[in-house]
Amino acid sequence: MTTQQTSDTALAGQPAAYWTGLAYEALIAFTRARQAEKGYTQPQFWLLRNLSVNDISSDGEGMTVTELRDAMSSYIRPEDDLAVEAEGLLERGWLTQDTEDRLWLTPEGEQARIDMARNAPAIRAALHEGIDDADYVTTMKVLQRLIRNAGGTVA
């Protein structure tokens, strides 16, 4: 397969939304495939992270699937079924569920979260291959500026 090079002038006229959409889908697919190779899903990792006081949770309190979905609303994908994903974590003993349907992280779940997090540097390294940090930072700054120019908010 040959790759056609596009001139800088032509690239400057390309729609950023098209390319960011392609990049988003490719990056998500790559990340999820690497996680699946390790035996877990991205939504499962997010569930553990959102329930861990050592990660996203500020208090380590249990949450319902609805509360977790709300907490993940900025990054959960439409096809992600958190109830199904949570069931898998319950079966593994990484979560427990109380009588009010709140999910709680178990010590085994916390260890699983730690183990899963150890995969992130290798995924990042593979995605960043051939991209120096200065170029990456420039790209992030340009994307943030595009977001602000479009009236969006950059966290």
Side-chain angles (χ1 to χ4, degrees), residues 35-133:
Q35 291 171 327
E37 290 169 359
K38 300 290 186 180
Y40 65 95
T41 68
Q42 191 172 46
Q44 287 174 337
F45 183 44
W46 290 336
L47 286 166
L48 297 177
R49 292 190 67 203
N50 274 274
L51 292 169
S52 174
V53 71
N54 298 309
D55 202 331
I56 296 174
S57 175
S58 62
D59 57 15
E61 292 295 312
M63 298 172 74
T64 65
V65 169
T66 300
E67 291 168 333
L68 285 158
R69 188 176 299 110
D70 290 345
M72 297 182 214
S73 65
S74 67
Y75 50 90
I76 194 104
R77 291 175 57 96
E79 68 269 19
D80 294 337
D81 186 336
L82 292 185
V84 170
E85 300 291 353
E87 190 59 40
L89 296 175
L90 287 163
E91 290 170 7
R92 289 180 174 184
W94 294 352
L95 296 179
T96 59
Q97 193 167 33
D98 65 22
T99 57
E100 296 174 357
D101 290 330
R102 297 176 77 74
L103 297 167
W104 296 83
L105 189 61
T106 65
E108 295 81 9
E110 177 62 12
Q111 185 59 55
R113 181 197 64 80
I114 292 167
D115 294 343
M116 290 174 186
R118 288 186 181 128
N119 296 319
I123 294 170
R124 182 190 187 282
L127 291 171
H128 287 237
E129 184 178 341
I131 303 168
D132 67 36
D133 285 347

